[in-house]
Amino acid sequence: MPWNFSAGPSALPAPVLERAREELLIRDKRGSCLLERSFTGAEFVATMTAAEAGLRELLAVPDEYAVLFLSGGAMAQFGLLPMNLARPGQPAAYVESGYWSGRAIEEARHFCSVSFAARHTVRDGVVHLPPPDEWRIDPDAAYCHYTANETAQGAEFHIQPDSGLVPLVADMSSNILSRRLDVSRFGVIYASAQKNLGASGLTLALVRRDLLSRSGSAVPSSLSYRIQAAESSRYSTPPVFEVALVKLVFDWLRAEGGMPAMEVRSLYKSDLLYRAIDDSAGFYRCFVAPANRSRMNVCFRLGDEALTESFVADAEAEGLFNLRGHSRVGGIRVSLYNAVPEAAVHALLQFMDHFAARHG
Ligand code: PMP
């Protein structure tokens, strides 16, 4: 059986894809299917309402948060966050923790000044994330942004930060819906849908309603959090198929036991892999501090880096795909989102064991 360990767009649950195929082909009495009808019609509104209700149930989202379904990926939000949340001249605080937070900062700088609340360190080649209790957040900042899981380096914050009075903004593109979450600690949570949520092209945002008034008239209307919240994310045509797909993913997650079940599974899968790496006597080596290792993207290197290409090729020959590390990081990356079953991890562990025995 081929297994897909892609970092994104990533594996989706097979029952979700089957259901999506069925739903795509269902035509109503006027002869139109999901992709062919108005986004303001009763059928699509019901789908979007059910998607929102599913998410609210899964994450126990309080009423004082708007759920927005926005077009475009999380990178679009890198610029839209300062546009929607910072007053002219107001700085924003950022935690720099690796590749994706770096991209968020680079983009934010086009729209506001950036102050660093904390930065990651690399000591003896090992990545350490800055502990949230050591962050120093500018009290005048419009918000404090951090990347909850650095997809490229495989480093994750396991403690929910407390940013005091400055609204906390989290990019959860690569770990949303993988564990329980206290939403009330955040000003904004946003996530690209292409990993744990569904398909690319849609970004989900939870925005505390008191922050909506910050979106001024300088923000284009279809990109304004305030206007999209007031119009139930239907100010302009939303990505209808992607919204229908996340609804199916939420149905699947609820049937699988919701966040408590995903939390247990993600820890189980990633622990198995990290243990195999640490027990390999240096044949495989992880360069992320144990306290910061990601449950979603397990990144490691081969002790003899010259073996990396044959590791990838031999893995593919055994049906294990998309294991090459991020282009800026190299090495191996194993993405273990919710849809990747334990069986895939067992197949990979067996391959890693045999590969090490052949070359060790
Ligand atoms: N943030 C993080 C943490 C990501 O992993 C990614 C994509 N890998 C993005 C943002 C960008 O998402 P998109 O390409 O959908 O805009």
Side-chain angles (χ1 to χ4, degrees), residues 12-326:
L12 284 163
V16 166
L17 291 177
E18 278 153 26
R19 187 81 198 116
R21 181 176 55 188
E22 284 165 22
E23 290 201 359
L24 196 56
L25 297 174
I26 299 173
R27 289 185 181 277
D28 59 25
K29 51 183 183 300
R30 284 171 299 226
S32 49
C33 77
L34 168 68
L35 299 180
E36 300 168 321
R37 14 178 131 98
S38 166
F39 70 97
T40 57
E43 291 97 336
F44 180 72
V45 171
T47 301
M48 204 175 206
T49 306
E52 176 174 342
L55 182 74
R56 285 191 183 276
E57 184 186 323
L58 284 165
L59 287 181
V61 180
D63 287 344
E64 57 267 31
Y65 286 76
V67 174
L68 305 182
F69 297 90
L70 302 168
S71 292
M75 278 186 79
Q77 299 307 317
F78 291 172
L80 289 167
L81 282 164
M83 287 175 83
N84 276 285
L85 298 179
R87 285 191 309 273
Q90 192 181 21
Y94 276 76
V95 175
E96 188 279 317
S97 52
Y99 179 78
W100 284 107
S101 56
R103 297 293 300 267
I105 292 164
E106 191 182 290
E107 188 68 10
R109 281 194 163 128
H110 295 299
F111 304 98
C112 68
S113 64
V114 165
S115 68
F116 286 100
R119 307 184 81 140
H120 81 288
T121 53
V122 181
R123 303 198 289 272
D124 297 327
V126 176
V127 171
H128 295 260
L129 295 179
D133 58 359
E134 292 175 13
W135 297 1
R136 294 286 165 263
I137 302 168
D138 176 355
D140 295 328
Y143 58 86
C144 176
H145 178 283
Y146 83 111
T147 305
N149 182 64
E150 284 284 2
T151 323
Q153 278 90 358
E156 183 175 13
F157 286 96
H158 295 295
I159 297 170
Q160 278 192 33
D162 180 353
S163 59
L165 292 176
V166 177
L168 185 63
V169 174
D171 176 357
M172 292 198 185
S173 294
S174 50
N175 67 351
I176 195 162
L177 292 178
S178 65
R179 57 160 47 133
R180 279 168 288 197
L181 193 64
D182 180 359
V183 173
S184 71
R185 302 268 284 272
F186 296 86
V188 176
I189 293 170
Y190 68 103
S192 196
Q194 49 151 311
K195 302 168 197 297
N196 261 342
L197 297 173
S200 61
L202 170 74
T203 292
L204 202 69
L206 305 179
V207 184
R208 215 174 61 211
R209 292 188 199 276
D210 64 298
L211 299 173
L212 292 170
S213 61
R214 294 188 183 190
S215 306
S217 54
V219 187
S221 305
S222 68
L223 308 175
S224 156
Y225 297 165
R226 178 174 52 82
I227 293 175
Q228 284 290 15
E231 300 290 332
S232 306
S233 305
R234 293 189 293 274
Y235 175 78
S236 56
T237 313
V240 291
F241 182 72
E242 285 77 356
V243 171
L245 197 63
V246 292
K247 185 226 166 245
L248 296 179
V249 170
F250 298 159
D251 290 348
W252 177 79
L253 283 168
R254 292 208 313 265
E256 292 287 306
M259 292 306 96
M262 294 307 122
E263 197 168 309
V264 170
R265 281 189 206 175
S266 62
L267 272 175
Y268 176 77
K269 290 185 293 184
S270 55
D271 276 356
L272 278 179
L273 207 44
Y274 286 120
R275 212 169 320 135
I277 293 163
D278 290 342
D279 290 349
S280 72
F283 188 84
Y284 303 111
R285 303 174 68 187
C286 174
F287 288 93
V288 180
N292 304 136
R293 290 178 176 179
S294 169
R295 295 160 305 129
M296 297 287 110
N297 312 98
V298 176
C299 294
F300 62 92
R301 293 178 183 277
L302 280 93
D304 175 0
E305 299 235 28
L307 288 173
T308 307
E309 283 310 309
S310 36
F311 180 94
V312 171
D314 291 6
E316 289 192 0
E318 306 239 346
L320 305 159
F321 291 95
N322 300 315
L323 289 168
R324 208 184 296 279
H326 186 273

